[in-house]
């Protein structure tokens, strides 16, 4: 924890390849296409410049249209999308999947392309081979300019150590479930040591922490909302939080986290929440399946 240099939504972290990424991303998980379109347009109008989506969210086309209709120059927006499980069973499928995402988004390149999950349902026994093959294809996309940076999501330390045996490009980002209920300290330390940025999805635990007594007391102390406390905490932990909402008022409020600081007592109180709520799913025991049709 500690002071952060960022003072606005347009301030950035520098990834391990020199690419700059805005310190807060706008998440679109669970947003239906119409809601995603409206929310992303609102977020861009407010000043967000980092939009996070995924093939499996089913809203890439809506996100792309919102970006196009926003009036914000493409080069000023950092776009992340993700490669889904069933679309990476071989090298060529990875290339096909990324092309499909570009088509749906209406973009010429992705700023950050992530492998969405560490293990594929029904293929746990061969995750090492599949991840190595997937990453070779990801490296091809990166070196040929289809993605400005590449990374992973939901990877544990064992997955990253195995990948390191064959990788030529170190992942720039590991996007994971990170919040006061589950700080994943071993993983965060590994990523930090290896210059992999920790992105935090579900920084509000899908709303479960908004009524927590400790969080609301800290919010009252600083005259802030619980969501603002949690997003600020994520930044002070060195994470890149990805808050999400489809409500314009909340979208705006979630960006107002740069004019106050949490103190040591706040951090000590929040630390007591570890393990007292939903924890990260283990890729070895949870199977995520969802069929995504190939584009023509």
């Amino acid at each position: 924890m500690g002071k952060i240099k960022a003072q606005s939504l347009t301030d950035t972290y520098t990834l391990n390849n020199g690419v700059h990424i805005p310190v807060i991303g706008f998440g679109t998980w669970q947003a239906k296409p119409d809601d995603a379109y409206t929310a992303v347009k609102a977020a861009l109008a407010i000043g967000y410049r980092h939009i996070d989506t995924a093939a499996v969210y089913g809203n890439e086309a809506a996100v792309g249209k919102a970006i196009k209709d926003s009036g914000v120059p493409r080069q000023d927006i950092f776009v992340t999308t993700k490669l889904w499980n069933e679309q990476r069973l071989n090298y060529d499928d990875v290339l096909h999947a990324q092309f499909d995402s570009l088509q749906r988004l209406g973009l010429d390149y992705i700023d950050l392309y992530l492998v969405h999950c560490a293990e594929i349902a029904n293929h746990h026994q061969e995750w090492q081979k599949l991840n190595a093959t997937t990453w070779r294809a990801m490296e091809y996309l990166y070196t040929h300019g289809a993605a400005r940076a590449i990374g992973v999501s939901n990877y544990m330390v064992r997955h990253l150590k195995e990948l390191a045996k064959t990788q030529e490009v170190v992942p720039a980002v590991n996007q994971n479930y990170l919040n006061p209920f589950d700080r994943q300290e071993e993983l965060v330390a590994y990523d930090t040591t290896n210059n992999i940025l920790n992105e935090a999805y579900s920084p509000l635990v899908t709303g479960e922490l908004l009524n927590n007594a400790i969080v609301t007391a800290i919010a009252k102390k600083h005259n802030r909302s619980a969501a603002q406390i949690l997003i600020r905490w994520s930044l002070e932990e060195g994470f890149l939080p990805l808050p999400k909402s489809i409500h314009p008022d909340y979208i705006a409020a979630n960006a107002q986290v740069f004019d106050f600081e949490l103190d040591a007592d706040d951090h000590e109180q929040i630390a007591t929440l570890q393990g007292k709520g939903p924890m990260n799913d283990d890729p070895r025991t949870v199977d995520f399946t969802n069929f995504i049709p190939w584009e023509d």
Side-chain angles (χ1 to χ4, degrees):
M1 71 178 189
K3 292 183 179 297
I4 63 172
K5 296 180 180 179
Q7 297 297 318
S8 73
L9 288 170
T10 55
D11 286 334
T12 61
Y13 291 115
T14 302
L15 299 178
N16 58 24
N17 65 348
V19 168
H20 295 281
I21 181 171
V23 296
I24 293 179
F26 182 73
T28 61
W29 179 52
Q30 295 180 320
K32 296 179 181 179
D34 287 348
D35 289 336
Y37 174 81
T38 303
V40 169
K41 271 197 74 178
L44 291 170
I46 288 163
Y48 288 82
R49 290 297 180 265
H50 176 182
I51 307 298
D52 183 278
T53 184
V56 77
Y57 296 174
N59 59 25
E60 284 179 312
V63 168
K65 188 175 188 303
I67 290 170
K68 181 180 179 181
D69 293 348
S70 71
V72 179
R74 166 65 183 99
Q75 65 269 21
D76 293 342
I77 304 174
F78 193 99
V79 180
T80 298
T81 194
K82 307 176 194 76
L83 169 68
W84 186 235
N85 296 349
E86 284 87 357
Q87 294 194 309
R88 66 177 189 92
L89 294 175
N90 60 63
Y91 183 98
D92 289 338
D93 278 358
V94 175
L95 306 187
H96 189 173
Q98 203 258 4
F99 179 79
D100 283 357
S101 282
L102 287 173
Q103 294 295 104
R104 288 189 292 265
L105 286 160
L107 301 178
D108 297 324
Y109 65 92
I110 303 298
D111 294 280
L112 176 63
Y113 196 42
L114 302 179
V115 182
H116 204 143
C117 296
E119 299 186 25
I120 302 172
N122 303 315
H123 294 274
H124 293 289
Q125 73 281 4
E126 54 180 338
W127 66 263
Q128 297 94 333
K129 178 183 176 181
L130 285 169
N131 286 358
T133 300
T134 295
W135 196 248
R136 283 196 300 108
M138 296 286 285
E139 290 173 332
Y140 176 90
L141 294 169
Y142 171 63
T143 57
H144 285 76
R148 296 176 63 222
I150 53 176
V152 297
S153 180
N154 299 299
Y155 271 49
M156 304 292 98
V157 171
R158 65 181 180 276
H159 302 113
L160 294 167
K161 286 183 174 180
E162 182 66 26
L163 187 62
K165 296 176 183 178
T166 57
Q167 71 191 20
E168 294 183 6
V169 177
V170 178
V173 163
N174 188 8
Q175 185 180 123
N176 252 290
Y177 178 80
L178 293 170
N179 55 64
F181 282 153
D182 195 355
R183 299 196 304 276
Q184 299 203 62
E185 292 178 338
E186 179 189 7
L187 176 64
V188 167
Y190 181 92
D191 288 342
T192 301
T193 298
N194 289 278
N195 203 16
I196 301 170
L197 178 64
N198 288 291
E199 284 192 348
Y201 69 75
S202 293
L204 314 181
V205 197
T206 320
E208 285 199 32
L209 269 171
L210 297 182
N211 295 313
N212 178 272
I214 289 174
V215 176
T216 55
I218 295 171
K220 182 178 180 180
K221 170 182 169 181
H222 291 278
N223 194 28
R224 297 286 170 166
S225 71
Q228 288 168 334
I229 295 300
L230 294 165
I231 294 165
R232 180 71 194 192
W233 174 86
S234 190
L235 288 168
E236 292 189 13
E237 289 290 314
F239 306 154
L240 191 159
L242 298 163
K244 61 184 181 67
S245 178
I246 60 172
H247 303 288
D249 290 347
Y250 293 153
I251 294 170
N254 288 346
Q256 296 166 9
V257 295
F258 298 102
D259 58 350
F260 73 100
E261 296 179 359
L262 302 178
D263 59 35
D265 183 65
D266 297 333
H267 279 277
E268 289 175 9
Q269 290 295 313
I270 292 172
T272 66
L273 296 173
Q274 172 66 32
K276 296 182 179 177
M279 304 291 283
N280 185 54
D281 292 320
D282 189 329
R284 293 173 295 188
T285 59
V286 177
D287 285 338
F288 297 101
T289 59
N290 198 322
F291 175 72
I292 302 174
W294 295 105
E295 301 290 335
D296 293 333

